[in-house]
């Protein structure tokens, strides 16, 4: 009887959690969908990524065979700019509620705070996955048509950009996952610090200051180590399709480093969300 009672209690608890999570998902989707700034920021992220990728593709030339350029990475250069808008979207998904006091209503409706954070992360990841896919596909399509006019032709050793090519597909999928992980870092940091400007500053500092510090350091070994732990440098290694042996870290290993940063940010944010008052 005790085993049967335990099983029933477990089943009831699981059902309650699923119900809470379902309500939290619907609520988070409604909040994200009805916030006008979020939609505009996501469109801005896509536009920036595509525009910068097009500009880079038009600016770089390959006058002869063996010019050493990575055509796929050139087409996806805009991801390094579009990620800033994605980070802001992620921060506002949390800090906006703290700023208006709506977080109290959210936590009253769904008392389990980890359920709320999981729902926010799920909705945010799904939205960024869709936006990131659009940005990456549009950037590659633009590169496919622009780059041949600058010498990136089969005569110079460059086939047209295509997802049928294994390294190109890996770079495309990896770039989308990169943006999702950047969003999760932003969500975790914003949950930890609550205040929008501070959270945005921390996330953008993590992304853009590491490469600057790397350039200042003179020791090549230390430069390599910094590139291996830098969220942006390590994460964007997944875009490389040529000279992989020269990278400080492998493509998927670099994305794994970024995933570790995202997990750490969410862990800290989740712990502080549990321990503090709303």
């Amino acid at each position: 009887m005790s085993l049967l009672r335990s099983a029933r209690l477990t089943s009831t608890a699981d059902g309650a959690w699923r119900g809470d999570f379902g309500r939290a998902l619907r609520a988070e989707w409604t909040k994200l969908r009805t916030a006008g700034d979020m939609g505009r920021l996501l469109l801005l992220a896509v536009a920036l990524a595509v525009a910068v990728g097009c500009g880079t593709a038009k600016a770089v030339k390959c006058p002869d065979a063996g010019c050493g350029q990575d055509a796929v990475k050139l087409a996806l250069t805009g991801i390094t700019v579009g990620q800033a808008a994605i980070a802001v979207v992620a921060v506002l998904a949390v800090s906006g509620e703290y700023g208006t006091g709506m977080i109290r209503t959210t936590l009253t409706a769904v008392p389990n705070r980890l359920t709320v954070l999981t729902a926010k992360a799920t909705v945010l990841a799904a939205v960024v996955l869709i936006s990131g896919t659009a940005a990456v596909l549009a950037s590659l399509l633009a590169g496919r048509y622009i780059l041949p006019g600058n010498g990136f032709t089969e005569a110079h050793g460059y086939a047209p950009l295509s997802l049928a090519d294994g390294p190109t597909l890996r770079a495309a999928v990896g770039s989308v996952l990169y943006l999702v992980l950047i969003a999760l870092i932003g969500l975790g940091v914003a949950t930890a610090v609550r205040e929008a400007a501070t959270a945005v500053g921390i996330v953008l500092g993590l992304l853009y200051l590491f490469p600057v510090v790397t350039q200042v350091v003179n020791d090549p070994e230390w430069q390599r180590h910094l590139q291996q732990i830098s969220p942006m440098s390590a994460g964007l290694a997944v875009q490389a399709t040529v000279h992989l042996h020269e990278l400080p870290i492998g493509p998927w290993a670099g994305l794994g480093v970024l995933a570790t940063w995202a997990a750490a940010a969410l862990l800290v944010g989740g712990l502080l969300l549990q321990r503090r008052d709303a």
Side-chain angles (χ1 to χ4, degrees):
M1 291 295 292
S2 61
L3 289 176
L4 180 59
R5 188 180 302 110
S6 176
R8 286 175 177 171
L9 289 174
T10 301
S11 177
T12 301
D14 288 345
W17 186 88
R18 286 194 295 270
D20 284 348
F21 185 64
R23 287 195 300 274
L25 274 179
R26 290 191 293 272
E28 293 306 325
W29 165 240
T30 300
K31 284 184 278 189
L32 195 65
R33 177 172 53 83
T34 56
D37 289 344
M38 298 295 193
R40 286 191 287 271
L41 283 169
L42 288 169
L43 288 175
L44 177 63
V46 175
L48 284 173
V50 177
V52 173
C54 288
T56 304
K58 287 183 178 180
V60 179
K61 310 292 182 183
C62 184
D64 49 40
C67 61
Q69 297 287 348
D70 189 333
V72 176
K73 194 161 188 175
L74 288 174
L76 295 174
T77 301
I79 298 299
T80 61
V81 180
Q83 66 180 346
I86 294 295
V88 174
V89 168
V91 167
L92 292 179
V94 175
S95 62
E97 284 196 76
Y98 277 105
T100 61
M102 279 296 295
I103 190 66
R104 296 185 184 88
T105 304
T106 297
L107 297 179
T108 299
V110 183
N112 189 319
R113 299 186 176 198
L114 291 184
T115 298
V116 172
L117 183 60
T118 303
K120 285 183 180 292
T122 302
V123 171
L124 180 66
V127 171
V128 173
L129 186 70
I130 295 170
S131 303
T133 299
V136 167
L137 291 180
S139 296
L140 289 175
L141 183 62
R144 179 183 174 89
Y145 287 101
I146 294 172
L147 287 169
N150 288 350
F152 291 87
T153 61
E154 293 191 37
H156 291 168
Y158 291 94
L161 300 185
S162 171
L163 293 178
D165 175 60
T168 302
L169 179 61
R170 184 251 299 150
V173 172
S175 294
V176 175
L177 294 177
Y178 174 89
L179 290 175
V180 171
L181 292 171
I182 292 299
L184 294 179
I185 289 176
L187 184 69
V189 171
T191 304
V193 303
R194 299 182 177 185
E195 207 276 324
T198 303
V200 169
I202 291 173
V203 176
L204 296 186
L206 282 174
L207 294 178
Y208 297 113
L209 285 183
F210 259 105
V212 173
V213 173
T214 301
Q215 295 302 315
V216 172
V217 173
N218 293 323
D219 189 324
E221 193 63 24
W222 273 102
Q223 283 185 343
R224 184 178 182 86
H225 289 321
L226 287 172
Q227 289 173 332
Q228 289 171 337
I229 64 172
S230 163
M232 185 166 77
S233 299
L236 288 178
V238 78
Q239 292 184 343
T241 61
V242 299
H243 308 306
L244 298 186
H245 63 283
E246 298 177 4
L247 296 174
I249 191 170
W252 290 119
L255 202 65
V257 169
L258 182 62
T260 301
W261 278 95
L266 288 172
L267 177 61
V268 173
L271 289 174
L272 291 176
L273 182 64
Q274 285 279 74
R275 295 182 178 183
R276 295 185 307 202
D277 294 332

